[in-house]
Every structure is written in C-alpha cells, then in structure tokens.
C-alpha cells in the first residue's frame, strides 16, 4: 500500500489482514479486507489523542471493534497509528507536531487506489481536512 514494510497475515474465512509501515515519518497501519474483496471505497479509521488504532479493532472487554463491523458490511478498513505513537515507532517529542502527523497519515491516504471514507475521532478530526487537502482523491463531505 505504501513504500514501507508490508506483511500479509493468514487469511480467515471472513477477512484478509495485512500490516504495513510508512518509513518517514514512521506510520504503522493495518488493513482489513473482506475475504470476498470489496467494491466499496475503503474506510480509514483515524484514532484520537491518547489512543492507537487498536481502539477500532477490539473493545476493552474483548469484543470485535468498529473495524470488524465495517468489514462485515463489505468495506476494506485501514487503521493507522499516528506517527510516533503506538506501533508506529518512536519520534522524539521535540520533533512531533501536527505537520508530522498529517504527513504520515497523508501518505497512507495518498497510497489508496481511489477515494476513501475518512472516519476520525476526537483530536484527529482537526487533522482530517489537512490530510486530505490537495489530494486528487479527496472529497470532504
């Protein structure tokens, strides 16, 4: 999906799961795709502050999270961690900024084959417009 590392994990009867990473700034992401494929636009779920993308994968009590609900409805789901947070890898605090976040998340969005639905939560809502501004596939709604 991007010019970073990528690994596809074993397929379940319901979905195909893969992970990847954008190199600079380091941005980890997961891709969940319905096993039968999808003709719908992908849904990119961007977490808020003090979270990681894992908040969309499972609930605290172990149930499947929102990402699985969307996959069950036929959507491919992309779940990144902000650059420098969670599984994305370390960025010194002095080098972390909104611009760095937008750069990493923007690279994930730019790598998609076409238009995407961007679902943001809390603090990431302010980054949504910046990530998608100027991109050929962007269509804010």
């Amino acid at each position: 999906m991007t010019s970073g590392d990528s690994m596809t994990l074993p397929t379940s009867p319901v979905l195909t799961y893969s992970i990847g990473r954008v190199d600079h700034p380091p941005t980890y992401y997961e891709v969940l795709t319905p096993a039968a494929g999808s003709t719908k636009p992908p849904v990119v779920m961007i977490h808020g502050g003090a979270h990681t993308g894992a908040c969309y994968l499972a609930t605290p009590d172990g149930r499947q999270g929102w990402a699985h609900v969307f996959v069950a409805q036929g959507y491919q789901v992309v779940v990144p961690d902000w650059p420098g947070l969670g599984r994305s890898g370390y960025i010194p605090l002095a080098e972390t900024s909104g611009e760095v976040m937008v750069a990493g998340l923007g690279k994930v969005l730019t790598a998609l084959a076409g238009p995407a639905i961007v679902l943001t939560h809390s603090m990431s809502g302010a980054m949504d417009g910046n990530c998608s501004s100027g991109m050929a596939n962007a269509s804010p709604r």
Side-chain angles (χ1 to χ4, degrees):
M1 198 171 116
T2 64
S3 62
D5 301 328
S6 184
M7 175 177 74
T8 300
L9 301 175
T11 304
S12 81
V14 179
L15 63 88
T16 300
Y17 177 83
S18 62
I19 60 174
R21 186 176 58 86
V22 172
D23 288 328
H24 184 73
T27 308
Y28 171 93
Y29 61 88
E30 299 183 39
V31 182
L32 291 76
T33 306
S38 178
T39 58
K40 298 177 180 182
V43 176
V44 181
M45 297 183 170
I46 304 176
H47 64 84
H51 290 279
T52 67
C55 70
Y56 291 117
L57 299 173
T59 63
D61 62 0
R63 292 175 291 130
Q64 291 186 332
W66 285 110
H68 295 277
V69 173
F70 279 78
V71 170
Q73 295 300 312
Y75 290 91
Q76 179 185 56
V77 177
V78 180
V79 182
D81 283 355
W82 288 3
L85 258 92
R87 299 155 292 180
S88 286
Y90 177 72
I91 297 176
L93 186 57
E95 297 174 23
T96 303
S97 67
E99 290 81 15
V100 170
M101 302 297 173
V102 167
L105 297 171
K107 286 182 180 180
V108 173
L109 289 172
T110 301
L112 298 174
I117 299 166
V118 179
L119 184 148
T120 60
H121 176 257
S122 187
M123 206 164 128
S124 66
M127 288 187 268
D128 176 33
N130 290 322
C131 287
S132 57
S133 67
M135 293 181 187
N137 294 334
S139 179
R141 304 212 192 268

